[in-house]
Amino acid sequence: MATTNAGVARILQELADLMKLEEGSPQSFRVRAYEKAVAAVRELTTDVAEMSQSQLVAVGGIGASTAKKILEFVNTGSIERVEKLREKYPPEFVELTRIPGVGPKTAVLMRAHLGVENVEHLKAAVAANKVRELPGMGAKSEDKIARAIERLGLHGKDRRTPIQQAMPLARELVASIEALPEVRRATYCGSLRRFRDTIGDIDIVAASTEPEPVMEAFLALPVVSEVIGRGDTKSSVLTAAGLQIDLRVVAPSEFGAATLYFTGSKQHNIELRQRAIDRGWTLNEYALADAETDEVISSRTEKSIYEALGLRYIAAELREGTGEIEAAATKALPRLVEVGDIKGDLHVHSTWSGDGRSSLDEMVATAAARGLEYIAITEHAENLAINGLSRDEVAAEAKELDRLRDAHPELTILHGSELNIGPDGGLDYDNDLLMAFDWCVASVHSHFDLPQAQQTDRLLAAIAHPAVNVIGHPTGRMIGRRPGIEFDLDAVLDAAADTGTALEINCHLDRLDLPAEMLRHARERRDLTFVISTDSHHIREYDHLQWGVANSRRGWVDRRQVANTWPRDRFLEWARLTRA
DNA sequence: GCCGTTTTCGGCCCGACTGTTTTCAGTCG
């Protein structure tokens, strides 16, 4: 597999994370320099593997030292500095810093004083009240850590990987395998294909009549750090980060049955097999076949198997055994959203926001070039330190938007804002300014630890405000790093329905917020409106749309309830009416 | 480690908040 930009970005990010521990500070200039280099590589439009030292150094954010490391990685598949640091800080130790409240200093401190090397050790130390005795720590910090471990579901060994890490890797692996001449088709399956927000391991199924060279190529991939098992049709490996990848090679005629079987879920498969048995058939990873004669009824595609069983095709995101088979049998499946249905993006930042990375001109021009009919520019608001816009800046940006409207007459540009919902439900600016915007997203960006009743109240207050069109990333969760705020979901859904306030489905892979579980909870409600938004901070992030769409599908969201699938006139009319 | 000079060192965004503390670590976007 050729070195990809994503692969380079990944190892540089690992280097940055390891340097945080080494330097004892996430703010170290060296760490920040590496993180800038990561961002630079992610945003490159050319192939890093093809670039020379001088070309790399010419990229802003990459200097001589990082360029050298990139070349080392491209040429050898590893970086010596990273290897050394991995020995000193193994993955299970690094994992400690994923716990909110535990940074590099605390992790190193706990290791030095208490011998804490992993989450299991930390849990024991917390249980023995040892952590509160450390300098700079107290009972509250210890409790916070204990709760964080509990709520994040970290248990050390059997940890799950956030989809944000697994998905890009799986895409890359599938592309490499599919590029092999012996491979007809390949796809990832399992919980990743079902679009769960965390995954246990990556399952890949490839169709080929020559499994041997496929297996060999797989085992030789640079991402493989350890081979657990190898056979003719199935091999398992581990990455350096401890993520397991399984590859299964099947005959092309069995591809549908194999992907169906390995995509699961277990419950979905059980129900499908029961349906087969009821018809005198059997279903396994090779085929749907007659139980008596073994004659194959269907195996080549998933669709043909579903159809043979009297079912509409069931999208992978729905296969959780939560009523999808019954719905497919009675033609009651939701009309799921496709990427092509989306006509507008209603949560977009530019460099006017402190954390934006593409200019306003670029963000608008790219939206127009992608064929969007409407877009809302929603910079951060004044109460968000550093990143937010002052009132003067809001006025100044409004003038820029007028200019851009003239330059892009085919695109409707809404002047919006991403407001901050304060701990008491208060918003930024004043009412006159709020009502002067065309579109307001209101989001929680702070005070994640308030009690449930207070969290519910602040969301209800924001929903009730006439200027607010949509609640942005409603839970505020960061998958694998921070649980969402706790609130009364039904109370929030009721209020959103009453006021016509939409709920965002945020497309960032580390957010996917609202989570699919909450969307499923709301799936019978026809009185709710959703908006699928990329929350882009860079032109490349418009591509994240696919993730929000997939999450909506997993949540059984019907496309008729997604406001940004509506044509421009209908959307604008609705947006205007809800601001009153 | 990167950058950009007033060109080989010195600055690198910064403010609020919490929990722990008399100076700092972690977190937020």
Side-chain angles (χ1 to χ4, degrees):
Chain A
M1 179 166 67
T3 310
T4 62
N5 291 16
V8 172
R10 209 157 40 229
I11 193 147
L12 290 179
Q13 183 63 59
E14 186 184 352
L15 179 56
D17 291 339
L18 291 167
M19 286 305 294
K20 283 179 201 169
L21 292 162
E22 182 73 1
E23 303 246 315
S25 163
Q27 271 81 249
S28 126
F29 293 119
R30 198 173 274 120
V31 170
R32 276 164 53 183
Y34 283 133
E35 289 188 329
K36 269 187 205 162
V38 171
V41 170
R42 288 228 170 91
E43 288 161 15
L44 273 179
T45 46
T46 51
D47 194 349
V48 165
E50 308 288 319
M51 293 172 78
S52 68
Q53 166 96 13
S54 58
Q55 285 173 317
L56 285 167
V57 171
V59 176
I62 300 176
S65 163
T66 304
K68 235 176 113 180
K69 290 187 174 73
I70 292 174
L71 285 178
E72 184 186 351
F73 183 65
V74 168
N75 292 328
T76 70
S78 66
I79 298 173
E80 199 188 337
R81 188 76 215 259
V82 174
E83 299 292 332
K84 286 253 169 66
L85 287 167
R86 274 180 191 161
E87 276 173 36
K88 198 164 166 190
Y89 309 103
E92 60 173 15
F93 180 72
V94 176
E95 190 185 18
L96 290 170
T97 61
R98 281 179 37 205
I99 301 167
V102 179
K105 285 221 169 151
T106 310
V108 170
L109 183 78
M110 294 191 303
R111 178 190 242 182
H113 284 77
L114 305 172
V116 170
E117 293 289 339
N118 54 42
V119 176
E120 289 304 321
H121 292 168
L122 179 54
K123 281 167 94 172
V126 166
N129 289 345
K130 293 279 187 204
V131 172
R132 65 180 64 186
E133 292 166 9
L134 294 173
M137 306 291 284
K140 280 198 175 177
S141 308
E142 191 176 74
D143 287 348
K144 199 177 163 188
I145 290 171
R147 270 186 300 137
I149 295 174
E150 187 93 359
R151 291 175 71 192
L152 277 176
L154 292 174
H155 335 69
K157 270 186 137 181
D158 54 331
R159 70 186 187 280
R160 295 180 67 84
T161 301
I163 190 169
Q164 189 187 25
Q165 286 159 36
M167 182 62 83
L169 181 60
R171 285 271 173 108
E172 227 179 289
L173 287 165
V174 166
S176 311
I177 292 166
E178 222 165 18
L180 298 171
E182 299 87 3
V183 171
R184 204 81 65 84
R185 286 194 64 191
T187 185
Y188 54 84
C189 296
S191 55
L192 190 60
R193 184 160 174 242
R194 300 201 310 278
F195 212 70
R196 275 192 66 170
D197 46 32
T198 63
I199 61 122
D201 52 24
I202 296 177
D203 291 304
I204 297 174
V205 173
S208 174
T209 51
E210 297 170 78
E212 251 179 69
V214 177
M215 280 301 170
E216 261 175 51
F218 171 63
L219 298 173
L221 292 175
V223 71
V224 173
S225 85
E226 194 185 328
V227 177
I228 305 174
R230 56 186 308 171
D232 295 342
T233 61
K234 179 193 164 184
S235 293
S236 299
V237 302
L238 286 178
T239 68
L243 178 59
Q244 183 171 331
I245 305 164
D246 294 342
L247 174 68
R248 296 155 204 272
V249 183
V250 301
S253 63
E254 297 165 346
F255 190 69
T259 56
L260 190 61
Y261 182 86
F262 292 115
T263 298
S265 65
K266 194 171 180 179
Q267 189 57 37
H268 181 85
N269 285 352
I270 288 170
E271 290 181 31
L272 274 188
R273 285 200 290 269
Q274 187 56 53
R275 228 179 141 79
I277 290 166
D278 293 345
R279 286 162 173 71
W281 301 334
T282 62
L283 176 63
N284 58 28
E285 67 239 70
Y286 304 107
L288 177 68
D290 190 294
E292 296 286 312
T293 65
D294 286 342
E295 186 192 346
V296 171
I297 295 158
S298 189
S299 67
R300 189 168 287 275
T301 68
E302 290 183 337
K303 189 158 183 283
S304 67
I305 295 171
Y306 281 119
E307 279 171 0
L309 291 168
L311 300 170
R312 292 284 177 93
Y313 176 77
I314 300 175
E317 297 93 333
L318 298 179
R319 299 180 196 169
E320 292 293 343
T322 56
E324 70 278 7
I325 291 176
E326 168 70 20
T330 57
K331 301 189 167 86
L333 288 169
R335 299 189 202 181
L336 298 178
V337 183
E338 313 269 351
V339 169
D341 296 331
I342 301 293
K343 298 187 169 59
D345 200 335
L346 299 163
H347 187 165
V348 174
H349 297 268
S350 76
T351 47
W352 281 78
S353 295
D355 57 356
R357 300 190 317 287
S358 292
S359 70
L360 184 58
D361 283 42
E362 288 176 304
M363 294 306 293
V364 169
T366 304
R370 293 174 71 100
L372 291 178
E373 295 179 17
Y374 45 92
I375 180 177
I377 300 296
T378 54
E379 310 292 2
H380 286 296
E382 63 177 357
N383 292 351
L384 190 65
I386 312 304
N387 288 336
L389 268 60
S390 68
R391 289 148 211 246
D392 287 347
E393 287 170 320
V394 169
E397 190 179 33
K399 288 193 180 145
E400 289 292 295
L401 291 177
D402 282 337
R403 176 177 63 76
L404 287 163
R405 286 186 186 110
D406 290 340
H408 301 281
E410 73 287 4
L411 180 69
T412 297
I413 305 174
L414 301 179
H415 184 199
S417 180
E418 182 181 14
L419 307 168
N420 304 288
I421 305 174
D424 54 356
L427 302 171
D428 313 64
Y429 308 125
D430 55 66
N431 268 344
D432 287 347
L433 180 49
L434 289 178
M435 293 309 290
F437 285 114
D438 302 319
W439 176 263
C440 287
V441 182
S443 310
V444 166
H445 289 131
S446 65
H447 301 87
F448 297 94
D449 274 342
L450 300 177
Q452 189 194 33
Q454 203 176 337
Q455 298 288 25
T456 305
D457 287 346
R458 73 197 282 216
L459 289 177
L460 295 183
I463 288 168
H465 197 290
V468 173
N469 295 91
V470 55
I471 303 299
H473 44 72
T475 77
R477 72 169 178 170
M478 297 293 266
I479 296 166
R481 285 191 284 145
R482 176 179 80 202
I485 61 171
E486 291 174 354
F487 58 87
D488 179 341
L489 179 58
D490 287 315
V492 167
L493 297 179
D494 288 343
D498 284 347
T499 58
T501 306
L503 297 170
E504 182 177 271
I505 300 171
N506 189 288
C507 293
H508 280 282
L509 263 186
D510 56 354
R511 288 193 182 273
L512 300 177
D513 190 6
L514 284 173
E517 292 66 35
M518 290 189 176
L519 294 170
R520 268 211 299 275
H521 176 84
R523 80 190 197 201
E524 300 299 333
R525 298 189 63 145
R526 292 286 162 258
D527 54 353
L528 294 169
T529 306
F530 300 99
V531 163
I532 301 176
S533 297
T534 65
D535 191 3
S536 288
H537 289 66
H538 186 274
I539 52 172
R540 289 181 71 125
E541 295 180 358
Y542 284 123
D543 277 334
H544 293 176
L545 183 60
Q546 59 184 316
W547 311 132
V549 166
N551 193 49
S552 81
R553 294 162 65 88
R554 186 169 164 80
W556 287 63
V557 173
D558 192 290
R559 69 166 175 258
R560 290 167 293 189
Q561 287 175 254
V562 177
N564 54 326
T565 66
W566 301 341
R568 173 171 16 211
D569 289 347
R570 179 176 173 205
F571 168 76
L572 291 175
E573 176 69 4
W574 169 78
R576 196 180 57 78
L577 286 176
T578 52
R579 294 180 67 77

